[in-house]
Amino acid sequence: MNKTSSGPVRTAVLVVLGVIWLAPVYLLVVNASKAVDAYDPAAVWKPSGFSLFANFQDAWEKASLGGTLLATTLYSVVAPVLAVLIGAAVGYAIVALRLKYGFVWFVFIFGGTIFPLQMVLMPLFSGYASSGLYDTRVGMILVYTAISVPFSAFVMRNFFTGIARSVFEAAVVDGGGLFRIFRSIYVPMAGSALAAIFILQATFVWNDLLLGLTLSQSESVRPIMPALTGLQSTYGGAALPTVLAGGLLVSLPTVVLFLAAQRFFSRGLALGQF
């Protein structure tokens, strides 16, 4: 097949795949926009009316999302920032400072991602309960930071490997201290990679359900996803349009984040492929 004939075929394939990919989004928006009393399970593909904002308000009030929004925003900003800084420091120490047994330390840090999260939930819960961190914002920030550090360290180690050793040596000759070199040279050079890691980890924290259900209870500490599950309770649960509207509502911040930082995200992933 020559290039002339392959072009339309490739375009057609991409269009079909795009339609398949967007079909769930269409179902979500269409059914979240229907009035509660007009919802028909047999006509999920057919638009009917527009009550999206009313359903937004209904979901917001029934799930008490306002009380959890501040806490979730705090977790989604503070924990990824801490994880990015710690991961960058780890990569800098291993690559630039040539930390003794650096690879062993790296494997030790990244090894935390080997075991499924479900395996550590019980000991994590017991430890939090005995230390007074259960159902506290500080405890949630700590656990989200700890979970986000291994991936951050992995990416930043790979990124710093691509920076010439002569950059570090020249900075040392010029009289730069180790912390100043890290702060003034390595961190600015890794800006796009740090932004990409932050976006990924912030999205993970925002969408977390399991840890939020396990380690929090009160409305002021509980993340937004566990609060949203209250709409789907077996007894007294909200109607499906309200549930879908709630899911759509809480997903909007991450969509906006990706769209606003798309350029930094794409560049950061490319730079991380050293």
Side-chain angles (χ1 to χ4, degrees):
M1 182 180 294
N2 55 42
K3 292 184 179 180
T4 303
S5 59
S6 64
V9 174
R10 182 173 58 183
T11 302
V13 171
L14 292 176
V15 169
V16 172
L17 292 177
V19 171
I20 296 174
W21 181 265
L22 292 175
V25 179
Y26 169 80
L27 288 173
L28 173 63
V29 175
V30 166
N31 289 280
S33 302
K34 295 179 179 179
V36 172
D37 54 358
Y39 176 73
D40 183 6
V44 293
W45 292 93
K46 183 180 179 181
S48 176
F50 188 81
S51 301
L52 181 60
F53 295 108
N55 292 336
F56 277 166
Q57 182 178 359
D58 193 22
W60 183 275
E61 294 174 353
K62 288 185 176 180
S64 300
L65 298 181
T68 63
L69 181 61
L70 178 61
T72 308
T73 304
L74 178 67
Y75 306 151
S76 300
V77 173
V78 176
V81 167
L82 292 176
V84 163
L85 293 178
I86 296 173
V90 170
Y92 173 73
I94 293 176
V95 176
L97 303 184
R98 295 182 176 177
L99 182 68
K100 188 175 182 180
Y101 306 115
F103 184 74
V104 175
W105 281 109
F106 170 74
V107 171
F108 175 75
I109 294 172
F110 192 71
T113 63
I114 296 177
F115 303 101
L117 185 58
Q118 292 82 350
M119 291 182 60
V120 299
L121 277 181
M122 281 304 299
L124 185 62
F125 175 83
S126 300
Y128 265 55
S130 60
S131 62
L133 291 173
Y134 175 76
D135 198 31
T136 63
R137 291 184 176 181
V138 173
M140 297 302 297
I141 291 175
L142 287 176
V143 71
Y144 284 135
T145 301
I147 290 177
S148 302
V149 163
F151 177 76
S152 177
F154 172 76
V155 175
M156 295 313 302
R157 174 186 175 273
N158 291 344
F159 178 83
F160 288 147
T161 301
I163 298 179
R165 176 69 181 177
S166 58
V167 174
F168 177 78
E169 294 174 347
V172 173
V173 171
D174 289 341
L178 298 181
F179 178 75
R180 184 178 180 183
I181 294 173
F182 173 69
R183 180 193 63 190
S184 302
I185 298 178
Y186 276 76
V187 170
M189 291 179 67
S192 296
L194 294 174
I197 299 170
F198 173 82
I199 294 171
L200 288 173
Q201 298 305 320
T203 303
F204 162 75
V205 174
W206 185 275
N207 292 329
D208 171 67
L209 174 63
L210 186 59
L211 290 172
L213 284 174
T214 306
L215 302 178
S216 65
Q217 180 177 345
S218 61
E219 185 176 304
S220 60
V221 177
R222 182 176 53 185
I224 201 167
M225 288 300 171
L228 187 64
T229 59
L231 292 175
Q232 298 176 294
S233 59
T234 304
Y235 302 101
L240 187 58
T242 302
V243 175
L244 295 178
L248 180 61
L249 180 63
V250 300
S251 67
L252 289 179
T254 55
V255 174
V256 172
L257 177 63
F258 268 104
L259 293 178
Q262 184 178 6
R263 178 168 60 91
F264 299 101
F265 182 72
S266 301
R267 185 187 303 173
L269 289 182
L271 290 174
Q273 295 176 357
F274 286 108

